[in-house]
Amino acid sequence: MIDGKKVLFSGMQSTGSLTLGNYLGALKNWVTLSDEYECFYSVVDMHSITIRQEPSELRKRARNLLTLYIAAGLDPKKNCIYYQSHVSGHAELAWILNCFTYIGELNRMTQFKDKAAKHADNINAGLYTYPVLMAADILLYQADVVPVGKDQLQHLEITRDIAQRFNAIYGEVFTIPEPYMGKAGANIRSLQNPDKKMSKSDENANASIYLMDDPDTIIRKFKRAVTDSEASVRYREEQPGIKNLIEIYCACTGKTPEETEKEFDGRGYSEFKPAVGEAVVSVLKPVQDRFYELSKDKAYIDGIIKENAEKANYYATKTLRKVQKKIGFPERIR
Ligand code: TRP
């Protein structure tokens, strides 16, 4: 609890460009949650280096992501928006938690197996202990809730296990976090293959709508979206491509699938697809405009980075000192 509010922690990696899926499934919900919770939204650049990064590119993307958080509507005075690498407590707590995590647990992590297979030339120890750093992120702020996608649930589970194990030995040190699964828009699929999630790292550029795609590109990608030969706008499992487009349309317009079916009854895909594109443009365009506006104001963004790093450090240090004391590290002499 901070000022009577429950604490929320989440983060995104500053690798690749965010997609419409990231926006509708995460960022947009973060904005809604920021009224109810005391929120920490981190740009988790320390996680990013588990895969080799080009330094100038990583720096640029991290800043763009932080700016995008604000452009999407997160008030940086209310929400702690900061770089993970600016708070050394993440690394310090991660080390301690490493000593409370079993190799057997890490061996079960499906994301590690996937990433190791994908980057067989660089299976580093950081990739392996990635979930422990994530546990440190969450536990450092005593988070009550963590909005995550399905793919991160296993990491939240191990976070809870580590926290419970630690608490069982040392007393109630950590808050045990609960996952928060968003509802609407959480499940945006690829436009080229609706069996797959829309992904930042899809090789086919037509498969994903990127947050910063210009309106023409967005409309074009929707016109090319893979559908079926049924030619009717119906919300059913048998039409996964159309189902996905309806979900996107609904997430952007606030309409229900039934209303959408009615609206496009008797009209073909050639009318529906561009309409979905327009709906997406009307949601993304204001975010893009704000992003470009904010990007010009270097001093403002720098100020936020500094202020919020201080705020994050304050809470992180509080937890870290408590943990260090519990495990028997010598007290600091002031
Ligand atoms: N691993 C998460 C992802 O790739 C990002 C992340 C890092 C995160 N630390 C976190 C998410 C803590 C929630 C809470 O999506």
Side-chain angles (χ1 to χ4, degrees), residues 9 44 47 84 89-98 100-101 105-106 109 129-143 146 152 154-166 174-177 319:
F9 187 97
V44 292
H47 278 95
Q84 184 187 30
H90 288 261
E92 292 180 72
L93 183 61
W95 170 252
I96 295 170
L97 298 181
N98 264 313
F100 292 85
T101 307
E105 290 178 296
L106 293 176
M109 297 293 120
T129 58
Y130 178 115
V132 184
L133 179 59
M134 187 160 154
D137 299 342
I138 296 165
L139 300 179
L140 204 46
Y141 300 95
Q142 305 287 0
V146 182
Q152 297 298 315
Q154 200 184 25
H155 291 163
L156 199 64
E157 231 11 83
I158 195 175
T159 299
R160 290 165 54 89
D161 291 342
I162 296 168
Q164 273 156 352
R165 182 172 307 139
F166 194 96
F174 293 124
T175 302
I176 309 298
T319 302

